[in-house]
């Protein structure tokens, strides 16, 4: 019913930039929140940035000042602009969204993930 499709991952050198996109499609009655998480090998999945419908964005301390999340509501798309990338940013990046598919049903959805690799 709902699909989240990420794109934009890749390999860059330290100091470089990447822009991730996440497009939500399907039964989208209302999107309450969208965000980015990442998981590095051997580590737990962690929050990178979360954007709520109230307009607030929370960032992990490790990415503040370097990453910027934005949305295009008309396109149901979430972006993550990543600048000044560091090797420790290497991870699989996942898009997450809390979506009402009807006025009674709200659930969390995840994308398939996109790999970001930063070399030193």
């Amino acid at each position: 019913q709902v699909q989240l499709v990420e794109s934009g991952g890749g390999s860059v050198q330290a100091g470089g930039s990447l822009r991730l996109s996440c497009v939500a499609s399907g039964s989208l009655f209302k999107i309450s929140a969208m965000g980015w998480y990442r998981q590095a090998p051997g580590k737990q999945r962690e929050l990178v940035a979360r954007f709520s419908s109230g307009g607030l964005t929370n960032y992990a301390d490790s990415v503040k000042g370097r990453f910027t999340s934005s949305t295009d509501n008309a396109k149901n798309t979430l972006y993550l602009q990543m600048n000044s990338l560091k090797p420790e940013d290497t991870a699989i990046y996942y898009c997450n969204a809390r979506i009402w598919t009807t006025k009674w049903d709200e659930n969390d959805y995840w994308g398939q993930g996109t790999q970001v690799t930063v070399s030193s």
Side-chain angles (χ1 to χ4, degrees):
Q1 286 187 332
V2 172
Q3 273 195 317
L4 300 178
V5 179
E6 302 107 331
S7 62
S11 297
V12 295
Q13 290 190 327
S17 298
L18 285 173
R19 189 193 195 205
L20 306 183
S21 300
C22 171
V23 180
S25 63
S27 301
L28 307 177
F29 180 76
K30 179 183 177 181
I31 299 176
S32 302
M34 295 186 79
W36 292 98
Y37 290 74
R38 67 186 181 186
Q39 188 166 18
K43 295 188 177 181
Q44 289 189 331
R45 191 172 296 188
E46 64 176 3
L47 171 72
V48 176
R50 189 160 182 84
F51 189 91
S52 70
S53 59
L56 297 177
T57 304
N58 295 316
Y59 294 95
D61 288 341
S62 59
V63 307
K64 283 180 180 177
R66 300 188 298 122
F67 292 9
T68 303
S69 182
S70 60
T71 62
D72 184 334
N73 294 330
K75 297 181 179 179
N76 296 317
T77 300
L78 176 72
Y79 302 100
L80 183 68
Q81 178 66 43
M82 305 185 293
N83 298 326
S84 302
L85 282 161
K86 304 176 180 179
E88 51 263 43
D89 294 319
T90 296
I92 299 174
Y93 284 69
Y94 296 92
C95 177
N96 168 266
R98 179 162 286 269
I99 296 173
W100 293 85
T101 53
T102 70
K103 60 181 179 180
W104 301 281
D105 298 313
E106 183 186 37
N107 288 290
D108 263 346
Y109 296 88
W110 292 89
Q112 80 286 356
T114 186
Q115 177 71 46
V116 171
T117 302
V118 185
S119 58
S120 57

